Amino acid sequence: MTGPASLIMGVGNDAAVLVASSHYRHRHYGPNHPLAIPRVSLTLDLIHAYNALTEHEFMEGRPATVAELCRFHAPDYVHALSRAEAFGHATDEDRYRHHFGNAENPWFPGVFYTPALATGSSILGAEVVLGGRRAFSPAGGMHHALPDRARGFCYFNDVVLAILRLKESGLRVLYLDLDAHHGDGVEQAFANDPNVFTLSLHMDTAYAYPFRGGTITDQGGPTGEAACLNVPLPTGTHDMEYRLVFDVVWPRVLAQFRPDVVVLQAGTDALFADPLGRLDLTTNEFLRVIGAVVRDAKRLLVVGGGGYHPLLLARCWTGVWGLLSGRSLPDEIPVEGVAALRAADWDRDEDEPYYHRYFTHRLDEPRERMVRSALLELLERLRAVHPVLHDL
Ligand SMILES: [Zn+2]
């Protein structure tokens, strides 16, 4: 890249690779589904508007093979999805045994290919990381999928398969899940694995999906050695509170587990205006956390995840890419980016005072608030139950 734009935006230094595909320009999941919104494509458009992606930094995703999928998923489930795509519908048995073909995990054209592509892309991302660069697979992060069934909009668990790929090379993996929902599928997959530690900050399942697990007393570890740390957050958790918790938990987990690689699930449904989330983070705090992880992780794979507000998501993931690729992107959104965001035609919260800012600035208005006693109590209880925090 040459010319004045490169001076303003900062040239990528080949530190990172973005793995994605034009396939995500098509709408999936069918009408009325929370995921039937532009996510990866809008993110790419905004990154492009910032002139923040060189050819050398982009890699076309590839679908995972059946053999790869079957390293975690049951063959009959993999074949059921493949069959449902070929025959154009899900059967009653698919609905009953594999939990797809319903409102939560609908049948749609590409019901096999689309999640297989996200999975192959995250595996490819893992291979990029093994090659020494950071990687971002924004279509990935499908953390709820189970070996034999779809769950919570997730069909194949690309996160588990990417972690397996990293483990194959003998690496100790720290999985950090920032999605507003508990990263249960990944936690379960590695509950008995001393070489994978899962850290999830999420809405307390007392009030949020998946409505079980991930509580203060669910801290894993079959033999007393903790394999996970769950931080169930109250509704309305805001920047100051999130910062307090993250800054206590993150360095301790890192110091005690000493991972070779971090896999970060960057679902954006913890952001303040997400239609399915009930946390209250700004993009600023979310990206501060990503920045800390970029700084501290020896190797880093970032995958996507939830996020049901396309404008917040695209702004946020553009910021994630900026941090991974070593660019400092201006806060003000370039004209082409404004046009891309406007074209998303999102008017759900247009009466809110912050709405206009989605189109003009990449970051949000900072908000200073008091930390509530509920958060201090949460930290105290975590300290009491979790060996990683005993020094607190
Ligand atoms: Zn989520």
Side-chain angles (χ1 to χ4, degrees):
M1 191 163 62
T2 55
S6 63
L7 297 174
I8 297 165
M9 309 305 177
V11 187
N13 55 9
D14 289 342
V17 172
L18 198 157
V19 187
S21 165
S22 61
H23 179 73
Y24 298 103
R25 293 208 170 269
H26 308 295
R27 297 290 170 99
H28 303 291
Y29 285 86
N32 306 320
H33 193 278
L35 282 178
I37 53 169
R39 303 169 84 246
V40 175
S41 58
L42 191 56
T43 303
L44 286 175
D45 289 347
L46 193 53
I47 288 172
H48 186 64
Y50 270 105
N51 199 10
L53 185 71
T54 65
E55 224 172 276
H56 196 54
E57 293 173 305
F58 180 80
M59 204 177 273
E60 180 72 27
R62 60 153 180 95
T65 64
V66 167
E68 282 175 321
L69 293 168
C70 289
R71 295 180 60 200
F72 176 63
H73 291 288
D76 64 337
Y77 171 53
V78 173
H79 290 129
L81 270 169
S82 171
R83 215 167 34 231
E85 177 169 290
F87 286 101
H89 67 274
T91 63
D92 286 343
E93 197 184 349
D94 293 335
R95 276 183 276 277
Y96 177 71
R97 286 186 60 201
H98 302 304
H99 296 207
F100 72 86
N102 51 30
E104 178 180 302
N105 312 301
W107 181 91
F108 61 90
V111 72
F112 173 82
Y113 181 79
T114 306
L117 180 60
T119 303
S121 301
S122 293
I123 294 172
L124 198 54
E127 286 165 354
V128 165
V129 169
L130 290 170
R133 298 165 84 190
R134 299 182 196 118
F136 184 23
S137 169
M142 299 296 150
H143 59 170
H144 296 306
L146 295 180
D148 62 349
R149 72 189 62 175
R151 263 178 92 241
F153 316 157
C154 304
Y155 299 79
F156 294 136
N157 202 316
D158 64 288
V159 189
V160 169
L161 285 158
I163 291 175
L164 287 174
R165 181 69 189 86
L166 294 165
K167 270 174 53 68
E168 209 176 81
S169 296
L171 302 188
R172 273 164 76 77
V173 184
L174 169 57
Y175 173 62
L176 169 61
D177 191 312
L178 300 181
D179 192 282
H181 301 97
H182 177 223
D184 53 357
V186 184
E187 180 185 300
Q188 281 176 38
F190 297 108
N192 298 310
D193 189 330
N195 291 313
V196 179
F197 190 100
T198 59
L199 166 59
S200 179
L201 289 81
H202 48 259
M203 297 188 284
D204 195 324
T205 56
Y207 70 88
Y209 185 88
F211 300 108
R212 63 188 166 84
T215 65
I216 199 99
T217 51
D218 284 323
Q219 303 294 355
T223 56
E225 194 203 348
C228 70
L229 200 166
N230 282 310
V231 184
L233 298 164
T235 53
T237 297
H238 57 69
D239 287 4
M240 304 299 132
E241 295 171 333
Y242 200 85
R243 175 176 303 206
L244 176 76
V245 172
F246 184 84
D247 287 357
V248 161
V249 166
W250 171 248
R252 286 174 173 80
V253 169
L254 204 60
Q256 293 195 35
F257 184 69
R258 283 178 295 168
D260 300 309
V261 57
V262 174
V263 175
L264 193 170
Q265 200 266 23
T268 66
D269 42 7
L271 296 178
F272 63 96
D274 188 276
L276 298 193
R278 291 171 65 186
L279 303 179
D280 204 18
L281 298 193
T282 66
T283 308
N284 315 5
E285 175 60 15
F286 193 96
L287 292 178
R288 188 195 69 87
V289 165
I290 302 280
V293 177
V294 168
R295 182 193 65 212
D296 294 341
K298 276 192 272 184
R299 299 182 176 113
L300 177 60
L301 168 64
V302 179
V303 294
Y308 307 94
H309 190 298
L311 311 179
L312 274 176
L313 176 140
R315 288 157 89 240
C316 188
W317 283 357
T318 296
V320 169
W321 171 248
L323 289 166
L324 287 177
S325 66
R327 289 176 170 88
S328 55
L329 303 175
D331 186 22
E332 200 173 315
I333 295 176
V335 188
E336 299 84 351
V338 175
L341 293 169
R342 291 268 177 216
D345 206 21
W346 178 264
D347 59 2
R348 192 175 159 128
D349 47 357
E350 68 181 337
D351 295 332
E352 300 291 345
Y354 45 75
Y355 181 79
H356 71 280
R357 197 180 169 92
Y358 296 150
F359 306 98
T360 55
H361 292 78
R362 195 169 60 77
L363 301 172
D364 300 311
E365 207 83 70
R367 309 168 180 184
E368 296 290 327
R369 293 198 201 155
M370 293 286 288
V371 171
R372 296 168 294 174
S373 58
L375 266 292
L376 300 172
E377 284 160 23
L378 170 67
L379 269 182
E380 182 50 40
R381 291 182 64 201
L382 275 174
R383 192 194 62 77
V385 299
H386 210 293
V388 166
L389 303 175
H390 278 172
D391 73 313
L392 196 61

